[in-house]
């Protein structure tokens, strides 16, 4: 292994940046490989084009006869672009994307063949679904699953394959993917938000949810990554002593992008432009070899598809540049981990950002309505929001020094806090003309001035208002954005429905004017949501104690966090909003718990293998050298040899202690894992893995890392942090 390590380092040092020549403007190639509106106008009949656009804009169904025309246009376009196959591209509950390629090629007899792609192949396919996670929804022998075309997300060509974004459901109709619940949640949000918007503008017919994600990642040379069994099999380092220099000097953050990394980014961005992914920002992140890219905001469903596609493309482009992309939330101990901030907002078909203050008191009252309802939704469902970002890998990040804590809270800033305090004192009942004038002119009317140049400065908040949007920062870098977006849109949609019901009740039963009723309900919401608002530092025991006083949850581990997904309250919300039924909610809970177990199980096996088969043998080998040296000194100096060999003797003793601890801890970990594997109840099994197996990782790592400092560098088999993080 040491030979492999030094070979990998040497190979990395000889790498040169791949030359990337950009000959066209980004705007000229943007969406070239996407079956977008411009392409549809060229390749579809007027009837087919109008049918697709109606499906996109209003959710209208596409007639099967029209689907044949659409499929013909798609086929002709994709073949003209070099495509030979088509695939229903979907996002099963594995956390990655899935695709099965079928050729356009069909035989017609007599040795003849044609290119064929009909409406049936476009609209629906029946892949073998037996090996995808299903959470007990169906038996393995009932393998049928259906992929159905989602026209709201345009088809695209990648390589030589026409990829058609689809939903994935079981043959009994339950969702087996991330996209289906997301689409339902977005529909619920649209319906609820439009109803509330009617208070302020009768012309609003549609509300779109927008999402802007920020993807953080590490770039490691492929040879160095391949020399580490833990990176290859788990996506992170399970051991490794911190390098003397990490991120202490903050010299990597926003620094000059290394040449090889920049070439990779340029190549990646060209691919993104072709696929219609509107990437805009690139920069160095805090940790060495850590980077970030971010796009222009998209409609949420399309943004989720773009992020899932991007992660696939990033891996493929990395191969051309001899890189390995690490999306794991905490691939290296002692330096920053990676997140995927989800910037979320709502906008109307009349062009208004509902989370952006306007120029008039009425538009600002609309802003406050959606702003306060969002806070109330988070306050009432903070545990469910925490569950939406729970995973084995994100557990490493939440609560670490660079990341939000596992406690959900909302940061809105000092100025908006003052505005809410003013609104909290609104008269209970009908407002006097003077009070209403004061509110509209001096409180609500001045919100744009209040927010001017007031940007969010609290980087510890998991859910922060940042001027015209909310930023959900606790989302992990490996996550599919659909999960947190489904939950967030569902709970806000539910809250908006409740808000409208309360306002209408005051208008009808107490004969209040609309503005009076809105102010009264918002005042009550502010009072009920104060516990979730927090302006201070999210780190440390002080906030944890304060959060406990406020009744906020602090679920540090995935098994703890996920339980709320199957609570009576959560299931009721999802069912009421038409997002998931009880069977789907329970299935997802089981799938996510099983995934947690399997990831910890894999990491335990890999760590045990590395510790016993790589670290201990090298430590023994070095110890034997020391013993030989001590024997030689004894031959020379006789009974006085200890005076000259004391350091070697101390080293021998230290190494023996660490070897003994490693072996006993690995044995104990293996025994705990075997015991856990015999438990049939997946909840109890997950808890055993969390609280009995996983804690031993730290102890094993501690002793392995100590040996790294003691054993001769030339013998050490594992590529070190200083090589992984500073050789690029």
């Amino acid at each position: 292994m040491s030979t492999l390590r030094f070979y990998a380092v040497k190979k990395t040092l000889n790498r040169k940046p791949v030359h990337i020549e950009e000959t066209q403007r980004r705007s000229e190639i943007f969406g070239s490989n996407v079956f977008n509106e411009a392409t549809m106008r060229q390749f579809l009949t007027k009837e087919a084009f109008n049918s697709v656009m109606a499906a996109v804009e209003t959710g209208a169904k596409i007639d099967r006869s029209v689907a044949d025309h659409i499929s013909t246009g798609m086929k002709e376009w994709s073949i003209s672009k070099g495509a030979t196959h088509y695939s229903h591209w979907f996002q099963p509950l594995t956390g990655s994307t899935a695709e099965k390629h079928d050729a356009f090629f069909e035989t017609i007899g007599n040795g003849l063949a044609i290119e064929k792609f009909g409406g049936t192949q476009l609209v629906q396919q029946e892949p073998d679904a037996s090996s995808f996670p299903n959470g007990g929804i169906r038996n393995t022998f009932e393998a049928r699953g259906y992929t159905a075309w989602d026209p709201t997300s345009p088809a695209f060509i990648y390589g030589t394959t026409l990829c058609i974004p689809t939903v994935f459901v079981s043959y009994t109709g339950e969702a087996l993917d991330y996209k289906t619940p997301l689409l339902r949640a977005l529909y619920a949000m649209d319906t609820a938000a439009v109803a509330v918007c009617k208070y302020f503008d009768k012309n609003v017919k549609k509300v779109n949810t927008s999402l802007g994600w920020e993807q953080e990642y590490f770039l490691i040379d492929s040879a160095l990554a391949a020399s580490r069994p833990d990176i290859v099999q788990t996506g992170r380092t399970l051991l490794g002593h911190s390098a003397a220099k990490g991120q202490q000097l903050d010299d990597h953050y926003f620094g000059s992008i290394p040449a090889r990394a920049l070439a990779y980014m340029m190549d990646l961005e060209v691919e993104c432009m072709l696929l219609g992914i509107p990437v805009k920002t690139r920069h160095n992140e805090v940790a060495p070899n850590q980077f970030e890219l971010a796009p222009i905001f998209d409609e949420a469903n399309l943004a989720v598809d773009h992020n899932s596609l991007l992660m696939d493309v990033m891996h493929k482009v990395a191969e051309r540049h001899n890189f390995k992309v690490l999306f794991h939330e905490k691939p290296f101990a002692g330096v920053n981990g990676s997140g995927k901030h989800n910037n979320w907002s709502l906008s109307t078909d009349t062009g208004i950002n509902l989370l952006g203050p306007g120029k008039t008191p009425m538009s600002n009252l609309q802003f406050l309505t959606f702003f306060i309802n969002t806070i109330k939704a988070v306050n009432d469902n903070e545990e469910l929001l925490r569950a939406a970002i729970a995973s084995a890998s994100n557990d490493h990040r939440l609560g670490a020094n660079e990341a939000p804590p596992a406690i959900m809270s909302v940061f809105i800033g000092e100025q908006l806090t003052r505005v809410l305090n003013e609104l909290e004192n609104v008269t209970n009942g009908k407002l006097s003309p003077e009070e209403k004038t004061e509110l509209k002119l001096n409180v609500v009317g001045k919100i744009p001035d209040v927010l001017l140049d007031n940007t969010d400065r609290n980087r510890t908040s998991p859910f922060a208002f940042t001027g015209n949007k909310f930023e959900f920062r606790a989302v992990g870098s490996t996550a599919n954005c659909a999960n947190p977006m489904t939950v967030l849109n569902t709970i806000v949609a539910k809250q908006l429905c409740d808000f409208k019901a309360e306002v209408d009740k005051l208008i009808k039963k107490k004969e209040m004017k609309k503005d009076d009723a809105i102010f009264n309900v918002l005042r009550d919401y502010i009072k009920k949501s104060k516990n979730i608002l927090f302006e201070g530092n999210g780190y440390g025991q002080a906030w944890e104690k304060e959060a406990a006083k406020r009744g906020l949850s602090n679920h540090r581990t995935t098994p703890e966090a996920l339980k709320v997904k199957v609570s009576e309250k959560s299931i009721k919300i999802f069912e009421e909003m038409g997002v998931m039924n009880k069977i789907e909610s329970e299935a997802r809970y089981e799938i996510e718990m099983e995934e947690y177990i399997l990831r910890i199980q894999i990491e335990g096996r890999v760590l045990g293998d590395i510790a016993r088969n790589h670290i201990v043998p090298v430590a023994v080998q070095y110890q034997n050298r020391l013993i030989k040296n001590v024997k030689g000194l004894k031959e020379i100096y006789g009974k006085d040899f200890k005076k000259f060999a004391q350091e070697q003797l101390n080293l021998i003793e230290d190494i023996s202690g660490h070897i003994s601890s490693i072996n006993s801890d690995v044995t104990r970990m293996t025994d705990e894992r075997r015991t856990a594997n015999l438990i049939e109840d997946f909840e109890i099994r997950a808890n055993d893995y969390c609280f009995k197996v996983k804690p031993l990782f730290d102890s094993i790592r501690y002793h392995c890392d100590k040996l790294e400092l003691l054993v001769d560098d030339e013998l050490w088999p594992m590529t070190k942090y200083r090589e992984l993080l500073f050789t690029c």
Side-chain angles (χ1 to χ4, degrees), residues 190-433:
D190 177 24
T191 304
V194 166
V196 172
C197 282
K198 295 290 187 183
Y199 288 138
F200 308 97
D201 184 355
K202 299 289 185 184
N203 296 315
V204 174
K205 294 186 177 68
K206 187 173 179 58
V207 170
N208 287 310
T209 302
S210 59
L211 168 64
W213 38 261
E214 302 167 21
Q215 182 68 61
E216 295 178 341
Y217 62 98
F218 282 82
L219 281 180
I220 305 299
D221 186 88
S222 57
L224 297 178
S227 73
R228 293 278 309 217
D230 47 0
I231 291 179
V232 171
Q233 295 183 77
T234 72
R236 76 178 182 104
T237 56
L238 297 172
L239 51 81
H241 199 281
S242 298
K245 179 182 181 295
Q247 61 188 52
Q248 307 97 312
L249 300 177
D250 294 324
D251 52 345
H252 186 67
Y253 190 53
F254 277 26
S256 176
I257 301 173
R260 282 185 65 201
L262 183 59
Y264 166 76
M265 292 176 179
M266 292 168 64
D267 197 3
L268 174 64
E269 287 171 2
V270 171
E271 294 283 358
C272 287
M273 290 298 108
L274 295 171
L275 292 167
I277 305 173
V279 293
K280 184 174 178 67
T281 303
R282 65 190 186 202
H283 63 82
N284 292 0
E285 255 300 331
V286 174
N289 278 7
Q290 187 187 33
F291 306 94
E292 179 182 301
L293 66 82
I296 297 170
F297 279 51
D298 257 332
E299 185 275 324
N301 179 41
L302 185 57
V304 168
D305 280 0
H306 278 167
N307 184 249
S308 296
L309 176 59
L310 172 91
M311 292 171 78
D312 286 344
V313 174
M314 287 177 75
H315 283 304
K316 291 172 182 175
V317 174
E319 291 176 5
R320 299 202 290 257
H321 294 257
N322 298 303
F323 276 129
K324 172 79 172 175
V325 179
L326 301 184
F327 288 120
H328 194 287
E329 283 79 359
K330 197 75 174 178
F332 302 100
V335 297
N336 272 21
S338 298
K340 187 183 311 194
H341 297 179
N342 277 208
N343 295 276
W344 173 86
S345 192
L346 302 167
S347 59
T348 68
D349 56 348
T350 57
I352 301 300
N353 178 355
L354 295 173
L355 291 174
K359 296 179 180 178
T360 66
M362 181 59 73
S363 62
N364 289 326
L365 182 55
Q366 178 175 259
F367 155 72
L368 281 172
T369 295
F370 284 90
F371 176 71
I372 293 169
N373 271 281
T374 300
I375 295 170
K376 177 72 160 48
V378 175
N379 180 78
D380 293 354
N381 301 279
E382 47 95 8
E383 286 187 282
L384 185 55
L385 206 59
R386 166 67 180 93
I389 44 91
S391 69
S393 52
N394 209 21
D395 281 355
H396 292 280
R397 171 177 169 261
L398 295 179
N401 287 336
E402 82 283 356
I407 304 165
M408 292 295 108
S409 65
V410 179
F411 174 87
I412 62 172
E414 186 180 336
Q415 286 82 357
L416 279 173
T417 299
R418 289 201 198 103
V419 171
L420 296 195
N421 289 339
E422 293 273 0
L423 289 173
E424 190 181 351
N425 296 317
V426 168
T427 299
N428 187 0
K430 294 181 181 179
L431 279 65
S432 68

Side-chain angles (χ1 to χ4, degrees), residues 668-698:
R668 187 177 158 203
M669 177 185 68
T670 305
D671 290 341
E672 293 286 4
R673 198 171 66 236
R674 286 172 178 164
T675 301
N677 290 340
L678 296 174
I679 300 171
E680 290 189 13
D681 187 303
F682 68 85
E683 287 186 338
I684 299 174
R685 189 164 68 251
N687 281 321
D688 268 30
Y689 264 96
C690 181
F691 298 109
K692 293 181 180 179
V693 177
K694 189 168 174 280
L696 290 165
F697 290 8
D698 292 335

